[in-house]
Amino acid sequence: VLDNVDELERIRIYQKWNNIAIIDETNYLLLYQVIAATLLVIFLLAIRTYTISRYNRRLTDKNQQLEVLHLQLEQSNAELEFLSTHDPLTKLYNRHYFNRQFVHEHRATVSLEGAICLVMLDIDFFKEINDTLGHAIGDKILMELSSVLQHCVRESDVVARWGGEEFVILCHQTSVDAVKSLCQRIAFAIKEYQFSGDVQLTCSFGIAKLAANEPMQSCFERADKALYQAKALGRNQVCVDETHL
């Protein structure tokens, strides 16, 4: 049968059973939608990245500002703490600090801390210096005397400006004789120092030793009495309260 099929019939049959049609129906609308959606996502991601980057920069700037403010606050607090415990003129401890640390809260523990002595000193005729040379010279003399006191005392001693021309020295682990020698060294250093206005400065000293279980306020009052005794004896004197010696 196949041999009897001529060539034209063969071609016809072949074309009938091998009819392959190539259909090109690309959905360009869907393609464009996908591309647009992709670009939109990329754009949104770019905006998000830019927003986050900008937010991070602003956050970094704010953190830096907060750090600066924190440092300024710490500095201000340190300055306020210093001003609350120190005399602004002489930079010594002030009366408030001395009272808080040693008068109001102190409990005598001689057996643990050793002997404690208190010195009160007062500039002789300071009012005349202010009246004659002026308060500016008087302030310079107070600062210069503070420097002399700090140079003479030990590192463990506490020097405070009590008020006006009065100063207080608290000496730990010492004896009355040693403190008396300290006052004499201070008096000699004052005599040798060249104060502003060529003032020949002198000071009067009162010493008291803290007794066992004695309140600091009581010792302070005894040192103050010794100071007035030194002034009554003609000033430029060192007097010791002998109540508990």
Side-chain angles (χ1 to χ4, degrees), residues 103-119:
V103 176
H104 296 157
E105 299 180 5
H106 179 79
R107 296 295 180 269
T109 54
V110 177
S111 61
L112 296 178
E113 299 181 2
I116 296 177
C117 290
L118 191 65
V119 179

Side-chain angles (χ1 to χ4, degrees):
V1 173
L2 293 175
D3 292 339
N4 294 327
V5 177
D6 59 15
E7 186 66 22
L8 292 176
E9 185 67 16
R10 186 186 302 272
I11 293 172
R12 188 184 64 79
I13 295 173
Y14 181 82
Q15 290 178 346
K16 178 181 179 181
W17 295 101
N18 291 278
N19 187 13
I20 300 175
I22 300 176
I23 302 174
D24 184 9
E25 294 183 357
T26 302
N27 192 342
Y28 289 101
L29 178 61
L30 179 61
L31 178 63
Y32 293 151
Q33 290 176 344
V34 171
I35 293 175
T38 303
L39 292 177
L40 179 61
V41 170
I42 294 174
F43 178 73
L44 293 176
L45 289 176
I47 292 178
R48 180 176 181 274
T49 302
Y50 173 78
T51 303
I52 292 175
S53 176
R54 182 180 178 185
Y55 175 79
N56 288 335
R57 287 196 303 270
R58 293 178 60 185
L59 183 61
T60 301
D61 293 340
K62 294 296 183 181
N63 288 336
Q64 291 177 348
Q65 294 176 7
L66 286 175
E67 184 66 23
V68 171
L69 291 175
H70 180 69
L71 292 176
Q72 291 176 348
L73 181 60
E74 287 185 344
Q75 183 179 0
S76 298
N77 288 337
E79 291 176 354
L80 288 174
E81 176 64 21
F82 182 86
L83 291 175
S84 69
T85 57
H86 290 75
D87 175 59
L89 178 64
T90 63
K91 309 307 178 185
L92 297 176
Y93 287 117
N94 57 21
R95 186 170 185 167
H96 169 71
Y97 173 84
F98 191 89
N99 281 331
R100 185 182 66 185
Q101 293 295 115
F102 303 107
V103 176
H104 296 157
E105 299 180 5
H106 179 79
R107 296 295 180 269
T109 54
V110 177
S111 61
L112 296 178
E113 299 181 2
I116 296 177
C117 290
L118 191 65
V119 179
M120 289 203 65
L121 65 100
D122 186 273
I123 301 176
D124 297 329
F125 304 110
F126 186 70
K127 184 177 184 303
E128 295 182 7
I129 295 174
N130 279 333
D131 293 342
T132 304
L133 301 177
H135 289 278
I137 295 296
D139 289 344
K140 289 183 179 179
I141 290 175
L142 289 172
M143 291 187 288
E144 292 164 353
L145 176 60
S146 301
S147 177
V148 172
L149 295 177
Q150 289 179 307
H151 180 74
C152 292
V153 301
R154 302 172 304 173
E155 186 176 350
S156 60
D157 297 334
V158 179
V159 184
R161 184 185 179 192
W162 190 250
E165 66 272 24
E166 283 190 321
F167 296 82
V168 178
I169 305 174
L170 185 71
C171 304
H172 294 274
Q173 299 285 352
T174 188
S175 63
V176 172
D177 291 336
V179 174
K180 189 173 181 179
S181 297
L182 169 64
C183 294
Q184 291 170 348
R185 290 198 307 272
I186 293 174
F188 180 77
I190 292 172
K191 181 180 178 181
E192 294 296 314
Y193 192 90
Q194 187 68 36
F195 287 93
S196 297
D198 294 327
V199 174
Q200 297 298 317
L201 200 70
T202 62
C203 290
S204 299
F205 301 82
I207 303 173
K209 179 181 178 181
L210 183 68
N213 301 317
E214 179 187 14
M216 181 62 74
Q217 181 63 37
S218 176
C219 182
F220 180 87
E221 291 172 357
R222 292 192 292 108
D224 195 41
K225 290 180 181 178
L227 172 62
Y228 279 99
Q229 182 183 0
K231 286 184 171 294
L233 292 175
R235 293 180 171 82
N236 196 21
Q237 302 284 331
V238 178
C239 288
V240 179
D241 179 85
E242 300 181 353
T243 303
H244 296 288
L245 298 182

